């Protein structure tokens, strides 16, 4: 069974055929084979690979197997070549292994199984090795194989249980507990309650403190088996917890039981016992049990518990919060009378009934209490220094559930400034994502909790996966998990949490409701997973082309794939699956704006498709505005626009027109988010990136005139930007006439507000500060005030809302004035008559004294410095008068008799 290692290509193929035929005609029996024979075949395979003949050799072997299905040589060579190409098809080697297994050729079986495993973990090969080591009574090797097997076979539970028992017998309790946990989850999935119960009891005896694990398992049991079984197991766990004296944990467990079965008399009786144990030193314990009717079965148990817990919280020394008086401390409780010291209302007395309704009891570690009793510098320093402590304090203060927005409201601006929050929050988000002390609410992925026991990254990620609202949110969460798994190797997938995530996508593939965006995305997700971890492939059909051919409307399905990564993978797979992929790409381009797609079409000689796409987008730029803006921004340097006759001027005209359309649609509340996004992109392109400025610098006067006519129609255009562009035009074309504008009339105009450049910049800055700083701060104030409750009597809320009205009115007024503003330069001012920008010297003929006034606008007006507005009563009287003219008029019952002596340009103020 040898082939020459120096043979030419035809000779190698001929020798392989002879080798197969030799086996065929001699009908070599199984007993003649040894491991050495397969090692010789490995030499042949290596020679074939070095000669680049893998495909030809594999094809010959597959053809041979058509009529000699048990050919050992063909099965081995084809099987190894399959796996060496990173294929998940192990059928040939598995069949070959089974042939020798049936004939009890254990050494060869071991060799073949290890040969398969040389290409990656494989559950079939591992099970075969387990049979080998069982037969040969090699216990240590068997256990090692079991440990590898359970990492890749998520359904195997019995072996996991056996490993747990082995670790327990060896005294390795920690590892035994880990295996028992894994076995419990797998038995739950199999719905084998008898085994679930046995493992549960084992874990109760070995690790009763693992309540978070028990609760997670209990939830899964209730979902997959029944809530009655979940209650039964919780009741079995309860004695261990009660015996430990941990009243809080015992109470939490009983609440879970009552959540499934509110009429469970045993749980109601036990929770009263636990309350009596926890509050044994409370002077009003029995009275509060009585008034809450906790021991009366007629009252709903959850109402009774809530009532009792609210009453029992009132005790001497505890802190309380009142929405008007703030933080106080209970000084004394006598019968139904409570005395409280508030900061500005000492020795305040109220009845217990009133206190229960009007006050919230706060722990001394509550952030509101700390703000009230600690010095601000001390609290600020600790918050900045110890992010974990600060997060725990705030989250627990908010009922152990808070999102970033609520956390910020508690810290800014009372403790941190907005600037300090920016850097602090970046670190805080990373802590919340990675620190095991923090978890997430099952139904709200953006709400964090503080865990009594650390939560693993796997569990935290799985909790987020369960709470994710959409399919594509779950895809992103799985990607986060796989980043972690990549660092851990196969062990990273050794998790029941991963199995449930995997099964979610597998369930999508198995659905029989047609191929939509979820099914095709699941195919892509699972294909990539199997390519990375071949042992995951089980009974799923993951052929992309099969599912792709079943899609009714490719554009519709593709447009609904929200993940950019999955879209790219979809496009890559389409290139392989569809021979008409260029036409498909052309149809999909509007839904996945990618220059790479255009370049890919060009590389394959499909330039006309690219040009047709560009032309179609330009012709329909009003309807395809997002696509057009992307095309101009991303493909600026490509020759496609020029090839279809689109000049720079046409592109800028279209961009400016869309700029105006987006402003109008935003005002009309039409697709506001999308139009704001497009508006900002165009603004950056035209002004920040100076594309308009560069065009004005290079274009002729007619082209600039056409562009500026359109720019002038953009009502919401930043006045400062418009002024700068006008100045650039004037500098290049001094005699340029701006369409629709006459010579500057520096006297009163109802539609124009004249001002200096300096004051325009100041007002623009004031408006920006109003919108970017004061309005957001007010929004935070409203949110904080709203959290105090009872909006009718909430003084803080009313004050914040009144400030909101004031800010809105101020912003609207400023915006209107800025739209009307027109700046005046010294060169625009004539001294022929009194007008904006002139300094006029007059003689008061009645008082026999000289008067000097500078005429500017309402923004610059400063009567103390003799600067008056041209819109003021005196300013209006002086406008259009000339040197030597005498005036006689009355304003507010005061008589003026003036002579204009001189008029000059107020250069120092313009």
């Amino acid at each position: 069974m040898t082939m020459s290692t120096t043979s030419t290509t035809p000779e190698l193929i001929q020798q392989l055929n002879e080798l197969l035929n030799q086996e065929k005609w001699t009908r070599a029996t199984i007993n003649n084979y040894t491991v050495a024979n397969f090692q010789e075949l490995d030499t042949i395979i290596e020679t074939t690979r070095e000669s680049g003949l893998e495909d030809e050799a594999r094809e010959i072997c597959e053809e041979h197997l058509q009529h000699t299905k048990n050919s050992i040589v063909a099965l081995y060579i084809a099987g190894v070549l399959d796996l060496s190409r990173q294929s998940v098809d192990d059928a040939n080697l598995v069949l070959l292994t089974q042939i020798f297994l049936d004939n009890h050729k254990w050494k060869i079986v071991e060799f073949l199984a290890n040969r398969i495993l040389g290409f990656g973990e494989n559950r079939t090969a591992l099970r075969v090795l387990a049979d080998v080591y069982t037969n040969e009574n090699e216990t240590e090797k068997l256990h090692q194989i079991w440990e590898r097997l359970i990492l890749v076979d998520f359904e195997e539970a019995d072996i996991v249980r056996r490993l747990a028992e082995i670790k327990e017998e060896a005294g390795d309790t920690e590892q035994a507990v880990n295996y028992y946990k894994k076995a419990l989850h797998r038995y739950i999935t199999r719905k084998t309650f008898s085994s679930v119960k046995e493992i549960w009891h084992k874990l109760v005896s070995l690790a009763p403190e693992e309540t978070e694990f028990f609760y997670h398992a209990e939830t899964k049991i209730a979902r997959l088996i029944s809530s009655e079984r979940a209650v039964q197991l919780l009741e079995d766990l309860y004695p261990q917890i009660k015996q430990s004296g941990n009243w809080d944990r015992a109470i939490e467990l009983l609440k879970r039981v009552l959540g499934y079965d509110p009429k469970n008399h045993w749980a109601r009786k036990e929770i009263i016992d636990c309350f009596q144990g926890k509050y044994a030193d409370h002077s009003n314990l029995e009275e509060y049990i009585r008034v809450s009717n906790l021991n009366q079965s007629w009252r709903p148990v959850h109402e009774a518990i809530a009532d009792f817990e609210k009453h029992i919280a009132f005790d001497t020394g505890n802190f309380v919060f009142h929405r008007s008086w703030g933080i106080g401390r209970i000084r004394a409780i006598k019968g139904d009378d409570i005395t409280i010291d508030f900061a500005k209302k000492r020795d305040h007395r109220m009845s217990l009934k009133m206190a229960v309704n009007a006050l919230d009891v706060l722990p001394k570690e509550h952030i509101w209490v700390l703000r009230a009793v600690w010095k601000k510098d001390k609290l600020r320093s600790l918050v900045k220094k110890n992010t974990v402590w600060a997060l725990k304090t705030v989250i627990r203060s908010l009922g152990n559930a808070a999102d970033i927005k609520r956390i910020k409201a508690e810290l800014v601006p009372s403790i941190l400034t907005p600037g300090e929050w920016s850097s602090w929050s970046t670190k805080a988000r990373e802590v919340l994502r990675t620190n095991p002390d923090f978890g997430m609410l099952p139904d709200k992925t953006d709400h964090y909790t503080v865990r009594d026991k650390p939560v693993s990254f796997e569990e935290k990620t799985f909790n987020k996966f369960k709470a994710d609202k959409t399919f594509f949110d779950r895809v992103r969460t799985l990607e986060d998990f796989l980043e972690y798994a990549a660092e851990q190797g196969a062990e990273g997938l050794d998790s029941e949490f991963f199995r449930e995530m995997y099964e979610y996508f597998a369930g999508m593939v198995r659905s029989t409701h047609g191929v939509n965006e979820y099914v095709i995305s699941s195919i892509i997700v699972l294909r990539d997973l199997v390519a990375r971890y071949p042992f995951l492939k089980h009974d799923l059909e993951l052929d992309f082309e099969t599912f792709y051919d079943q899609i009714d409307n490719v554009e519709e399905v593709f447009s609904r794939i929200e993940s950019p990564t999955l879209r790219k993978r979809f496009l890559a797979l389409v290139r392989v699956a569809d021979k008409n992929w260029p036409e498909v790409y052309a149809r999909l381009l509007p839904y996945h704006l990618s220059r790479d797609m255009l370049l890919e079409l060009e590389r394959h000689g499909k330039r006309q498709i690219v040009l047709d796409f560009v032309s179609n987008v330009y012709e329909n730029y009003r309807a395809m505005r997002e696509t057009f803006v992307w095309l101009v921004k991303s493909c600026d340097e490509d020759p496609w626009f020029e090839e279809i006759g689109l000049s720079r001027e046409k592109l800028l005209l279209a961009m400016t027109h869309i700029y105006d359309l987006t402003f109008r649609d935003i005002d009309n509340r039409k697709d506001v988010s999308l139009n704001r996004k497009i508006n900002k992109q165009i603004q950056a392109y035209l002004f920040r990136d100076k594309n308009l400025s560069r065009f004005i610098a290079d274009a002729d006067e007619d082209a600039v005139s056409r562009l500026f006519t359109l720019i002038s129609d953009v009502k919401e255009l930043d006045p400062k930007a418009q002024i700068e562009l006008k100045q650039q035009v004037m500098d290049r074309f001094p005699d340029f006439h701006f369409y629709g504008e006459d010579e500057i009339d520096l006297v009163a105009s109802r539609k124009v507000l004249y001002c200096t450049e300096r004051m325009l910049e100041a007002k623009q800055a004031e408006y920006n500060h109003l919108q970017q700083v004061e309005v957001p701060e007010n929004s935070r104030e409203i949110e904080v005030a709203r959290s105090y409750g009872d909006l009718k009597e909430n003084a803080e809320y009313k004050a914040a809302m009144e400030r909101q009205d004031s800010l809105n009115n101020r912003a609207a007024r400023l915006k209107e004035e800025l739209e009307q503003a027109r700046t005046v330069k010294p060169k625009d001012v004539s001294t022929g008559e009194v007008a904006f920008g002139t300094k006029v010297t007059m003689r008061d003929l009645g008082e026999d004294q000289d008067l000097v006034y500078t005429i500017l606008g309402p923004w610059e007006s400063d009567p103390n410095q003799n600067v008056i507005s041209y819109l003021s009563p005196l300013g209006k009287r002086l406008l259009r008068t000339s040197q030597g003219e005498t005036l006689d008029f009355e304003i507010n019952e005061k008589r003026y008799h003036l002579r204009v002596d001189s008029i000059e340009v107020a250069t120092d103020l313009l």
Side-chain angles (χ1 to χ4, degrees):
M1 191 186 294
T2 59
M3 287 175 61
S4 172
T5 58
T6 60
S7 301
T8 63
T9 297
E11 290 174 342
L12 282 171
I13 297 303
Q14 183 180 352
Q15 290 175 19
L16 177 59
N17 278 313
E18 290 175 356
L19 183 63
L20 292 169
N21 289 329
Q22 179 185 13
E23 179 196 37
K24 174 183 176 183
W25 289 109
T26 60
R27 301 187 183 278
T29 63
I30 297 297
N31 290 332
N32 290 337
Y33 273 85
T34 66
V35 169
N37 295 133
F38 289 103
Q39 291 171 339
E40 288 181 19
L41 289 177
D42 282 332
T43 303
I44 294 171
I45 293 170
E46 185 60 30
T47 303
T48 304
R49 185 182 293 113
E50 290 173 354
S51 303
L53 298 175
E54 300 102 306
D55 291 341
E56 290 90 336
R58 184 183 176 283
E59 186 177 341
I60 290 170
C61 290
E62 288 292 345
E63 183 180 344
H64 186 74
L65 289 169
Q66 295 296 317
H67 50 79
T68 311
K69 64 179 181 178
N70 289 339
S71 167
I72 295 171
V73 173
L75 286 172
Y76 188 75
I77 292 176
V80 171
L81 289 175
D82 280 337
L83 292 180
S84 64
R85 297 164 65 184
Q86 296 185 332
S87 168
V88 296
D89 185 3
D90 58 5
N92 287 327
L93 282 181
V94 169
L95 174 58
L96 182 59
T97 304
Q98 189 62 48
I99 291 172
F100 284 97
L101 185 64
D102 292 342
N103 287 273
H104 307 293
K105 299 282 287 183
W106 298 109
K107 290 298 180 184
I108 292 179
V109 171
E110 181 180 10
F111 172 84
L112 292 174
N114 279 316
R115 195 73 173 88
I116 295 172
L117 292 170
F119 296 98
E121 295 293 72
N122 181 294
R123 71 188 74 186
T124 302
L126 287 169
R127 286 192 176 279
V128 167
L129 272 183
D131 289 341
V132 169
Y133 296 139
T134 299
N135 179 74
E136 296 180 355
N137 201 26
E138 295 193 47
T139 305
E140 185 175 347
K141 288 185 177 181
L142 174 63
H143 293 170
Q144 291 173 352
I145 292 299
W146 280 355
E147 289 175 350
R148 291 170 62 186
L149 177 60
I150 64 173
L151 293 179
V152 300
D153 190 343
F154 300 140
E155 296 178 2
E156 177 55 61
D158 295 335
I159 289 177
V160 180
R161 180 177 184 172
R162 183 69 191 109
L163 285 170
E165 292 168 348
I166 291 168
K167 294 297 182 183
E168 185 182 2
E169 291 166 4
D172 188 350
T173 304
E174 181 179 355
Q175 192 60 33
V177 167
N178 288 335
Y179 280 131
Y180 279 128
K181 286 180 179 179
K182 192 184 304 294
L184 180 66
H185 274 296
R186 296 185 180 193
Y187 283 128
I188 293 171
T189 301
R190 287 164 53 171
K191 301 181 183 179
T192 312
F193 183 70
S194 59
S195 297
V196 168
K197 185 176 181 180
E198 291 170 2
I199 302 297
W200 180 282
H201 287 165
K202 178 62 74 172
L203 285 168
V204 167
S205 66
L206 293 177
E209 73 285 352
E210 298 269 7
T211 49
E212 294 292 345
F213 168 80
F214 285 116
Y215 293 156
H216 175 69
E218 156 245 311
T219 303
K220 193 172 176 181
I221 291 165
R223 175 166 53 88
L224 296 179
I225 302 177
S226 73
S227 59
E228 291 79 11
R229 295 297 195 187
V231 168
Q232 178 183 341
L233 295 177
L234 287 175
E235 290 175 352
D236 293 342
L237 173 62
Y238 174 73
Q240 285 274 9
I241 296 179
K242 184 178 182 182
Q243 186 177 354
S244 71
N246 190 325
W247 300 117
D248 288 331
R249 287 175 58 204
I251 290 166
E252 181 184 6
L253 184 149
L254 292 167
K255 286 181 178 179
R256 296 180 79 90
V257 171
L258 290 166
Y260 291 116
D261 181 11
K263 295 184 178 181
N264 188 309
H265 297 294
W266 168 84
R268 187 165 188 152
K269 176 181 176 299
E270 286 297 325
I271 205 167
I272 294 173
D273 288 346
C274 289
F275 282 140
Q276 288 171 331
K278 180 177 179 179
Y279 299 107
D281 297 331
H282 199 293
S283 56
N284 291 309
L285 171 63
E286 295 304 324
E287 174 64 13
Y288 291 161
I289 290 176
R290 185 188 66 79
V291 298
S292 65
N293 295 303
L294 189 57
N295 52 7
Q296 301 296 320
S297 60
W298 57 266
R299 187 174 190 192
V301 67
H302 297 297
E303 290 181 13
I305 290 172
D307 198 1
F308 170 80
E309 290 183 329
K310 192 158 190 177
H311 278 80
I312 203 70
F314 287 91
D315 202 3
T316 302
N318 284 356
F319 289 95
V320 294
F321 172 78
H322 187 275
R323 63 176 179 268
S324 299
W325 306 324
I327 300 296
R329 195 168 192 179
I330 299 174
R331 182 197 294 180
I333 300 178
K334 293 183 180 179
D336 193 42
D337 189 58
I338 296 181
T339 304
I340 306 166
D341 288 330
F342 293 100
K344 296 182 179 180
K345 199 174 182 66
R346 313 287 294 183
D347 200 28
H348 181 73
R349 299 174 66 184
M350 62 172 60
S351 68
L352 175 62
K353 183 177 181 180
M354 180 180 292
V356 167
N357 292 325
L359 303 177
D360 292 318
V361 179
L362 306 178
K364 62 182 180 181
E365 303 85 4
H366 197 288
I367 189 66
W368 297 353
V369 174
L370 298 180
R371 285 206 304 251
V373 302
W374 283 18
K375 290 183 178 180
K376 182 177 179 179
D377 288 345
K378 175 185 175 182
L379 185 55
R380 178 169 167 268
S381 175
L382 185 55
V383 167
K384 293 178 69 175
K385 181 179 179 181
N386 194 332
T387 309
V388 173
W389 173 86
L391 286 170
K392 287 183 177 181
T393 299
V394 173
I395 293 172
R396 283 172 172 152
S397 298
L398 297 172
N400 204 22
D403 58 6
I404 288 292
K405 186 177 180 182
R406 292 286 308 280
I407 293 170
K408 183 178 181 181
E410 293 301 328
L411 298 178
V412 180
S414 59
I415 299 173
L416 299 177
T417 66
E420 289 171 331
W421 165 262
S422 180
S423 57
W424 187 91
S425 63
T426 300
K427 183 177 180 181
R429 291 175 193 274
E430 183 63 17
V431 168
L432 291 170
R433 190 179 77 86
T434 59
N435 191 300
D437 291 340
F438 298 95
M440 285 168 286
L441 291 184
D443 56 342
K444 294 181 180 178
T445 58
D446 57 346
H447 280 62
Y448 300 93
T449 65
V450 181
R451 294 284 295 257
D452 291 332
K453 292 184 68 67
V455 57
S456 66
F457 178 84
E458 299 100 307
E459 184 176 353
K460 184 182 288 191
T461 306
F462 177 65
N463 288 338
K464 183 179 185 306
F465 185 89
K466 287 193 300 181
D468 282 333
K469 300 292 190 237
T470 72
F471 172 89
F472 292 104
D473 286 339
R474 290 193 168 107
V475 171
R476 284 187 284 272
T477 301
L478 178 65
E479 289 170 353
D480 289 342
F481 182 89
L482 292 175
E483 283 184 22
Y484 163 82
E487 300 172 2
Q488 306 297 316
E491 290 79 4
L493 304 183
D494 180 26
S495 162
E496 300 309 314
F497 303 122
F498 171 74
R499 173 182 173 155
E500 292 198 33
M501 289 189 280
Y502 179 90
E503 284 299 322
Y504 170 80
F505 295 105
M508 287 287 179
V509 175
R510 295 188 187 103
S511 66
T512 57
H513 304 299
V515 179
N516 56 22
E517 64 272 21
Y518 306 129
V519 173
I520 203 69
S521 295
S522 295
I523 288 290
I524 297 171
V525 167
L526 295 176
R527 279 176 60 91
D528 290 348
L529 269 174
V530 170
R532 195 183 310 178
Y533 306 106
F535 60 82
L536 290 173
K537 179 123 174 37
H538 196 37
D539 59 345
L540 285 176
E541 173 57 60
L542 299 178
D543 180 61
F544 177 83
E545 186 173 352
T546 300
F547 287 87
Y548 173 77
D549 290 341
Q550 298 176 46
I551 298 176
D552 294 328
N553 187 322
V554 175
E555 296 98 301
E556 182 178 337
V557 168
F558 182 77
S559 68
R560 291 177 180 170
I561 299 176
E562 297 176 13
S563 165
T565 302
L566 290 181
R567 285 188 174 192
K568 289 180 182 178
R569 292 286 295 119
F570 181 92
L571 292 169
L573 291 166
V574 165
R575 276 195 55 203
V576 177
D578 194 331
K579 64 181 180 180
N580 297 318
W581 67 266
E583 288 74 17
V584 177
Y585 270 33
R587 301 203 312 270
L588 298 182
L589 266 166
Y591 307 103
H592 184 71
L593 304 176
S594 166
R595 184 167 174 269
D596 289 341
M597 286 177 68
L598 296 172
L599 294 175
E600 189 72 17
L601 288 166
E602 270 207 330
R603 278 194 293 270
H604 287 79
K606 303 296 181 180
R607 190 180 189 84
Q608 192 56 49
I609 290 179
V610 176
L611 296 178
D612 290 345
F613 170 74
V614 174
S615 178
N616 179 60
V617 172
Y618 174 74
E619 290 171 4
N620 298 280
Y621 72 77
R622 295 168 185 81
M624 302 177 70
R625 58 185 68 173
E626 184 178 18
T627 305
F628 178 76
V629 171
W630 170 83
L631 196 59
V632 173
K633 284 168 61 68
S634 303
C635 307
D636 221 6
E637 304 299 324
D638 293 300
W640 305 319
F641 296 116
E642 187 177 339
E643 287 189 35
I644 61 174
L646 288 179
S647 65
R648 191 78 179 151
E649 179 186 350
K650 286 183 178 180
L651 294 178
L652 288 173
L653 286 170
M655 290 286 271
T656 305
H657 188 200
I658 296 173
Y659 192 44
D660 184 39
L661 291 175
T662 57
F663 274 126
R664 297 183 187 188
D665 285 347
I666 291 169
D667 284 343
N668 294 327
R669 311 304 297 171
K670 180 180 177 182
D671 297 329
V672 174
S673 296
L674 176 61
N675 278 300
R676 277 183 180 153
K677 172 186 170 185
I678 297 172
N679 184 279
K680 288 180 180 178
Q681 291 174 343
I682 298 177
Q683 183 174 345
Y685 179 81
L686 294 179
F687 301 105
R688 187 196 67 194
D689 300 339
K690 299 189 179 301
N691 282 291
L692 272 180
S693 181
R694 279 195 288 272
F695 179 79
I696 292 172
D698 298 333
D700 59 41
E701 187 170 353
D702 288 342
V704 172
S705 178
R706 287 190 292 271
L707 182 60
F708 229 97
T709 299
L710 192 57
I711 290 173
S712 300
D713 289 338
V714 182
K715 180 182 176 184
E716 304 290 339
L717 183 63
D718 181 357
K720 184 178 179 182
Q722 189 171 22
I723 290 168
E724 290 175 351
L725 289 176
K726 280 186 177 181
Q727 187 61 53
Q728 185 182 358
V729 174
M730 293 291 291
D731 290 344
R732 185 152 184 250
F733 306 108
D735 299 326
F736 190 90
H737 177 74
F738 293 97
Y739 177 80
E741 293 188 7
D742 298 318
E743 294 299 320
I744 297 179
D745 177 9
L746 299 181
V747 296
S749 171
R750 291 183 180 180
K751 295 184 178 181
V752 177
L753 180 67
Y754 295 109
C755 63
T756 63
E757 282 191 7
R758 186 186 312 156
M759 189 52 69
L760 176 62
E761 291 176 359
K763 288 294 181 180
Q764 185 67 55
E766 179 184 348
Y767 180 76
N768 291 340
H769 185 270
L770 192 67
Q771 294 287 60
Q772 297 170 14
V773 178
E774 295 187 51
V775 169
E777 284 181 354
N778 174 245
S779 297
R780 287 193 294 271
E781 291 170 358
I782 291 172
E783 186 66 25
V784 172
R786 184 180 281 117
S787 70
Y788 296 159
D790 194 354
L791 301 185
K792 293 182 180 179
E793 301 297 327
N794 192 326
E796 292 88 348
Y797 179 78
K798 290 180 179 179
M801 292 301 295
E802 288 171 1
R803 183 162 183 259
Q804 184 185 63
D805 291 338
S806 173
L807 290 173
N808 288 341
N809 291 335
R810 189 170 141 213
R813 184 174 66 253
L814 259 178
K815 181 180 179 183
E816 182 178 2
E817 289 176 351
L818 286 168
E819 290 172 350
Q820 297 173 348
R822 180 179 297 176
T823 60
V824 177
K825 298 182 178 67
K827 67 178 184 178
D828 299 323
V829 180
S830 169
T831 58
E833 61 181 11
V834 177
F836 183 101
T838 60
K839 183 177 182 180
V840 56
T841 301
M842 299 175 290
R843 185 68 180 177
D844 187 334
L845 300 176
E847 299 293 334
D848 195 27
Q849 62 181 6
D850 289 332
L851 301 175
V852 179
Y853 288 109
T854 298
I855 311 299
L856 294 175
W859 284 352
E860 297 87 355
S861 178
D862 186 358
N864 292 330
Q865 300 297 322
N866 289 336
V867 178
I868 63 174
S869 168
Y870 68 90
L871 295 177
S872 67
L874 178 58
K876 288 180 179 179
R877 292 286 187 172
L878 296 178
L879 290 177
R880 296 189 185 281
T881 60
S882 54
Q883 186 175 342
E885 190 171 345
T886 301
L887 304 173
D888 192 356
F889 54 85
E890 182 178 310
I891 297 176
N892 296 331
E893 300 181 349
K894 179 180 178 180
R895 198 76 196 171
Y896 290 86
H897 190 200
L898 308 172
R899 182 185 71 237
V900 180
D901 288 342
S902 67
I903 302 172
E904 58 187 289
V905 178
T907 308
D908 57 332
L909 294 179
L910 286 175

